[in-house]
Amino acid sequence: HREGAERWSRECALLASCGQERRPERVTLPLTGQRWSVELLPGRRPSVTDRGDGVLRVHTPAGTDRQVSQALLRWLARSAQAELEARLRRTSGEIGIGFARMILRRQRTRWGSCSAAGTISLNVCLMFQRPEVVRYLMVHELCHRPHMNHSKRFWALVAEHEPGWKPLDVELLQGWRNVPAWVFP
């Protein structure tokens, strides 16, 4: 029933995001608590400049929605790589379950996954979730290292490291609603 709930949540979120602005006036990353206003400027290629003054300067040749998304996605991926990897390493150390490497993806269907080889894949869209929810997802994926399934033993291990996981799981299922439209142009 969890997979059905995930599918329903994603479909609702994707429908809702169709009406959202694809040229954001603001960008907020709940994971880090950071907020920026967005300024659109001409530029030779899509890029973003962050001078640390609370303004993301999005440079694009033609200023199309696609170019704005492209620039913001590159910026988001750089930010997510550093932030999520540091948090995953910290969580791994806290719970004593290691991983081989982390890769970052932008997916419409999953928040994360764990391979048998120990690769943890995380979705760049986690940047739009609360820190507690992201930590839960990381605990969940790390607990797949000893249990590559959703058995009772797996969930017991998750509960050992994240006792309040159930409401966080529900919030994560609904988390697609927090992802802005420009992430999936």
Side-chain angles (χ1 to χ4, degrees), residues 22 65-66 69-70 73 106 108 181-185:
R22 296 204 180 260
D65 289 356
R66 185 163 182 78
S69 285
Q70 255 185 332
L73 284 169
R106 179 175 50 104
R108 291 180 183 259
W182 57 263
V183 174
F184 294 107

Side-chain angles (χ1 to χ4, degrees), residues 134-152:
V134 173
R135 183 183 187 286
Y136 157 68
L137 182 270
M138 291 178 175
V139 167
H140 180 109
E141 297 309 335
L142 289 165
C143 286
H144 278 307
R145 294 289 293 127
H147 304 287
M148 291 297 293
N149 54 43
H150 287 114
S151 65
K152 287 182 181 181

Side-chain angles (χ1 to χ4, degrees), residues 108-127:
R108 291 180 183 259
T109 59
R110 307 186 146 202
W111 291 112
S113 63
C114 176
S115 75
T119 298
I120 304 285
S121 297
L122 297 176
N123 193 323
V124 68
C125 297
L126 287 168
M127 297 294 285

Side-chain angles (χ1 to χ4, degrees), residues 10 13 44 46 60 96 131 137 169:
R10 284 190 302 268
R44 293 181 57 142
T60 61
L137 182 270
D169 189 61

